[in-house]
Amino acid sequence: MTEPVLSLRDVRKSYGRHEALKGVSLELGRGEIVGLLGPNGAGKSTLFQIASGLFAPDGGEVRLFGMDYRHEASQILSRLGVVFQSRSLDLDMTVKANLRFHGNLFGLSGKALDARIAEAAALFEVTDLLDKPVRTLSGGNQRRIEIVRALINAPDLLLMDEPSVGLDPTTRKLLVKHVQQVRDQRQTSILWATHLVEEVEHADRIALIVGGGIIRTGTPAELLAAAGADNLTDAYIALTGVKPGAPAMAEAG
Ligand code: ADP
C-alpha cells in the first residue's frame, strides 16, 4: 500500500482536564475525500488544528506524507492547503492581491504565480472576481476565494474546517461540486470537517466523530448498511445518537 497522505494514530488532546480527543485514528489516501462529520464540540476543530500543525497532540502520532511536524514542518506545509473556520482575507486588497501575497509566502512569483492563480480561479469559477476588492464580495464568494487561496501552492492535501458555515444552500452545493473537481483534476486528498450531513454525502468515506472519538469510518453506503437506514441523516442519528444541529452530549458535562 502507498504511504497515506494523512495518518493519525491514537491522537489525544486535552484542554486542562477536558479530553477533547480521546485517542483518534484516521487515514487519508491519495485523491480521497473524507468527511469528518460530527456535532458541535465533537473535536473536529481540535483534530483539524493538530492535522494542520497548529499545535502538537498530547499523545499519539501525526504524519503527513510520511513526515512528522517535529522534524519536517516546512516540507509538510509546502504540500498542504488549509481553510480555517474564521475568515482571513484582507478585505481592502483585491482578490488577486490576496492570492499573490499568499503565493509569495510559498516562494511563488511572476508568471508562474499568475498561472497558478488563473488555474485555481478557473476551477472555482471566480475569474471575474480577481480584480475586485474582497470587501465587495458576498460571504459565499469570499469563502470560494479562501479555498482558491489554499490551492495556490497546488497542495496534495486540502484541510477544510466547516468551510460552508454561514453560506446559503446553493453556495454550499457549489462548494461541494468545486471541491470534487479539485480532487478529480489534481488527485488532491481532502479532509472536510462539518456538522452537515448533506456536505459529506458524496465523500469517499465519512468519519463519524462524537465526544472526542471517531466512532465509525466508512463509505456512505457502509454507514447506511450499518445503520439499516435509507438516508444518511437517519444513519447519522442512529450511529451517533445525535440529532443534526443538536449540541454534543459530551458538552453537557
Ligand atoms: P468541534 O470543532 O467539533 O465543534 P472542538 O474541537 O472545537 O469541536 O471542541 C472539542 C471540545 O473541546 C469541546 O468540548 C470544546 O468546548 C473544547 N475546547 C475546544 N477548544 C478549547 C480551548 N481552547 N479551551 C478549552 N476547551 C476547548
Side-chain angles (χ1 to χ4, degrees), residues 15 18 20 38-47 49 85 161-162 209 250-251:
Y15 299 107
H18 178 71
N40 292 332
K44 301 183 296 295
S45 289
T46 303
L47 186 154
Q49 284 162 330
Q85 231 179 69
D161 191 7
E162 307 247 10
I209 182 166
E251 263 188 332

Side-chain angles (χ1 to χ4, degrees), residues 145-177:
I145 300 302
E146 285 190 316
I147 303 176
V148 166
R149 183 180 60 177
L151 296 174
I152 292 299
N153 59 323
D156 293 318
L157 173 62
L158 178 62
L159 301 172
M160 298 196 297
D161 191 7
E162 307 247 10
S164 66
V165 162
L167 303 188
D168 60 80
T170 312
T171 312
R172 288 212 304 261
K173 274 208 155 146
L174 200 64
L175 268 195
V176 173
K177 182 184 119 186

Side-chain angles (χ1 to χ4, degrees), residues 83-95:
V83 180
F84 291 105
Q85 231 179 69
S86 49
R87 306 269 163 93
S88 57
L89 293 168
D90 186 311
L91 295 175
D92 294 322
M93 297 200 313
T94 64
V95 169

